[in-house]
Amino acid sequence: LFRAWMFLVTLLGIFILSTLIGVLSSGLEEQLDGLRKGRSRVVEHDHTVVLGWSAQVFPIISELVEANASRRKACVVVLGEKDKVEMEDAIAEAIDDRRTTRIVCRNGSPRSLHDLRIAGIDSARSIIIVAPENDQGEKSDDPDVDVIKALLAITNNPDRKASKYHIVAEIRDPKNFAVAQMVGKDEVELVLVGDLVARIMAQTCRQSGLSVVYTELLDFGGDEIYFKEEPGLVGKTYAEALLAYEDCAVIGLRPKGGAPMLNPKTDTPISTGDRLIVVAEDDDAIKLGNPPAPASAAAIVPASEPEMQPERSLILGWTWRAPSVINELDNYVPPGSTIHVVADSDTAEETIRTDCGTLKRQKLQFRRADTTDRRVLDALKVQGYDHVIVLCYSDTHGVQKADATTLITLLHLRDIAEKTNHRIPVVSEMLDIKNRALAEVTRADDFIVSDRLVSLMLSQI
């Protein structure tokens, strides 16, 4: 009987041990599978969270790596609706040198309360929300909806932290700006993408090379814009602050509790708590210099104002940003100017009629035609225009096809300029920064990589 009982106990022990091994193996496999899929919760603190997956993630991470170079242990967490391994491989291919920054990828929806907890947003120093891509690798049809939903999930989470978040998000349609502002309140800084790019494009077409200046100010290489409180200038005027530095330039003033002012009146006093807005190589390079010598009033000669003549502008191609570009140009051109839009688009004419009906200084004409057709460009006599803007068909084409269409148009314009021996001032929009190098052969005056500029702005804020 004793041997029989021992035999049964042995069998039971083997069964229990086998079950335990199976449970441990299954649990370990489940945990490893969760790690592979990117569903485990991050344990980082004071990190930056990027919500959404698109091509903008790469320049954002690249700039954050540059900005975090002075920090010993920095971390960027990316939460997107894409396989974790795919995201890691794409980032590794795009960004070689990560310096002191560790990049963590997690699979999940930025609109899900549970998935947001995975990214550890409550312990993050800042959150960046980008418009996600669809399955074809292009921006979704209504990206603002995804951004607003993500804002709602963060700010209205019942288990959210008590302190304020620092959120930066992009909004495409101006009509959605007020709604996003109501949702995010004072916890979100919104970048109106169309308005930003339209302003830069309108100004760059009148001053070639301006996009390089904007890129220099917005990226973390070279000089950037900083806010600096300077107790040594309290009680002095803005004019005195302009000459107080040797290695940086003052461009504005932010009063305590007030909105920033760029280039205010020179007699504006500087009070305690006011912060100067300066362009400097780094924040530790903002140091007061020696008092400047007094200016010689005799050396100042007033410049004569040139007489403004009506201008002719030409826009080739179409994108959803085109109406903003047209309206922005109306602020700079002299009265009596004309703007001619040529695009192969089904919606362009109707959009122009509804969104560009308040032009005051320029008369608008539209013609539907293929902008890559040499006969169309020859008939336009492009050499007679003061400004030529080439836009990408980003609404109807993918990134590469849209850039290819732009390249063909630019090559035709270069050939026309060479054959007519006329300089054609051309500013072009590109979507993929890698295509900018290819476009250099077209000898355009300037290229604006719109998505990259938006990414730089998001990173700085």
Side-chain angles (χ1 to χ4, degrees):
L1 183 62
F2 175 77
R3 290 183 179 179
W5 276 109
M6 289 299 99
F7 180 70
L8 290 175
V9 169
T10 303
L11 290 179
L12 183 62
I14 293 173
F15 174 77
I16 293 175
L17 183 61
S18 302
T19 304
L20 181 61
I21 292 173
V23 170
L24 290 174
S25 177
S26 176
L28 184 60
E29 185 177 348
E30 184 179 345
Q31 289 297 321
L32 290 174
D33 192 50
L35 289 173
R36 187 191 65 80
K37 292 180 177 179
R39 298 296 297 171
S40 60
R41 186 169 181 172
V42 299
V43 292
E44 305 295 335
H45 291 272
D46 199 34
H47 58 289
T48 302
V49 177
V50 180
L51 300 179
W53 178 263
S54 72
Q56 285 181 264
V57 169
F58 305 122
I60 287 175
I61 294 178
S62 179
E63 289 303 307
L64 291 175
V65 167
E66 184 74 27
N68 292 332
S70 58
R71 303 182 62 191
R72 278 202 333 147
K73 293 182 179 181
C75 180
V76 176
V77 175
V78 181
L79 178 70
E81 296 181 83
K82 198 175 181 69
D83 184 74
K84 172 182 179 289
V85 177
E86 289 184 33
M87 289 191 288
E88 290 176 342
D89 290 344
I91 292 172
E93 185 177 347
I95 303 171
D96 297 328
D97 186 8
R98 305 184 185 185
R99 301 194 182 185
T100 60
T101 301
R102 198 158 52 88
I103 301 171
V104 179
C105 295
R106 289 294 182 265
N107 172 263
S109 171
R111 302 174 297 281
S112 168
L113 299 180
H114 177 267
D115 291 350
L116 287 175
R117 283 194 288 268
I118 291 176
I121 60 172
D122 285 348
S123 59
R125 65 188 303 209
S126 58
I127 303 169
I128 301 175
I129 305 177
V130 300
E133 292 178 346
N134 55 24
D135 295 336
Q136 286 74 39
E138 302 171 7
K139 286 289 180 69
S140 60
D141 297 332
D142 199 350
D144 288 352
V145 173
D146 297 316
V147 173
I148 292 173
K149 284 182 178 179
L151 280 173
L152 277 170
I154 296 171
T155 57
N156 293 312
N157 188 343
D159 299 325
R160 59 159 293 168
K161 65 178 183 179
S163 57
K164 292 182 180 180
Y165 292 105
H166 175 43
I167 309 171
V168 188
E170 60 170 323
I171 292 293
R172 170 173 167 171
D173 193 336
K175 293 181 291 187
N176 297 323
F177 189 86
V179 178
Q181 192 70 59
M182 285 188 291
V183 173
K185 298 179 182 177
D186 59 345
E187 295 182 277
V188 64
E189 291 282 351
L190 297 174
V191 176
L192 192 55
V193 175
D195 183 62
L196 171 69
V197 177
R199 290 185 185 186
I200 293 176
M201 192 165 293
Q203 294 170 11
T204 303
C205 82
R206 305 181 59 80
Q207 180 64 62
S208 62
L210 196 57
S211 72
V212 180
V213 177
Y214 282 120
T215 303
E216 169 70 17
L217 289 176
L218 292 177
D219 66 13
F220 283 98
D223 292 6
E224 300 89 41
I225 299 174
Y226 294 94
F227 291 79
K228 172 73 172 179
E229 184 176 349
E230 197 66 76
L233 295 177
V234 172
K236 297 185 178 181
T237 64
Y238 180 72
E240 294 175 288
L242 289 173
L243 303 175
Y245 297 95
E246 294 182 0
D247 299 325
C248 54
V250 179
I251 62 173
L253 178 69
R254 180 170 186 174
K256 183 179 181 181
M261 300 183 297
L262 291 182
N263 196 26
K265 293 182 179 180
T266 54
D267 58 354
T268 302
I270 300 175
S271 306
T272 303
D274 293 352
R275 291 194 292 170
L276 294 172
I277 307 173
V278 300
V279 177
E281 185 177 0
D282 204 351
D283 52 359
D284 57 4
I286 307 174
K287 299 177 182 178
L288 292 174
N290 298 320
S296 173
I300 302 175
V301 180
S304 58
E305 290 289 336
E307 184 179 354
M308 303 294 288
Q309 298 292 333
E311 299 177 0
R312 299 179 69 222
S313 303
L314 173 65
I315 294 181
L316 299 173
W318 188 258
T319 177
W320 61 274
R321 287 187 277 261
S324 299
V325 175
I326 296 170
N327 292 327
E328 187 67 24
L329 273 173
D330 198 53
N331 298 321
Y332 299 99
V333 297
S337 300
T338 58
I339 183 167
H340 192 183
V341 180
V342 180
D344 188 11
S345 172
D346 298 327
T347 60
E349 188 170 10
E350 180 63 27
T351 304
I352 287 173
R353 190 179 298 113
T354 56
D355 296 347
C356 303
T358 59
L359 299 179
K360 298 177 180 178
R361 300 185 178 185
Q362 52 187 350
K363 183 179 179 181
L364 193 149
Q365 300 174 349
F366 174 77
R367 176 186 172 189
R368 179 166 184 176
D370 183 3
T371 53
T372 61
D373 190 338
R374 179 57 178 266
R375 293 170 297 180
V376 172
L377 299 176
D378 286 335
L380 287 172
K381 297 186 179 349
V382 292
Q383 62 270 21
Y385 286 90
D386 297 297
H387 312 288
V388 179
I389 300 175
V390 182
L391 299 177
C392 286
Y393 289 96
S394 57
D395 300 349
T396 55
H397 298 353
V399 172
Q400 299 305 323
K401 185 177 180 181
D403 280 353
T405 303
T406 302
L407 284 170
I408 294 172
T409 304
L410 290 173
L411 288 170
H412 283 312
L413 292 175
R414 186 193 72 173
D415 189 57
I416 292 173
E418 290 177 349
K419 291 185 176 179
T420 59
N421 199 24
H422 277 81
R423 178 183 173 273
I424 301 177
V426 180
V427 173
S428 174
E429 177 190 22
M430 303 296 291
L431 299 179
D432 189 345
I433 192 171
K434 290 180 288 189
N435 292 327
R436 176 168 181 163
L438 299 176
E440 296 289 348
V441 299
T442 63
R443 301 173 195 166
D445 291 276
D446 214 335
F447 298 97
I448 296 174
V449 187
S450 50
D451 284 351
R452 174 169 170 79
L453 283 174
V454 173
S455 300
L456 295 179
M457 178 71 82
L458 293 172
S459 302
Q460 285 283 348
I461 298 175

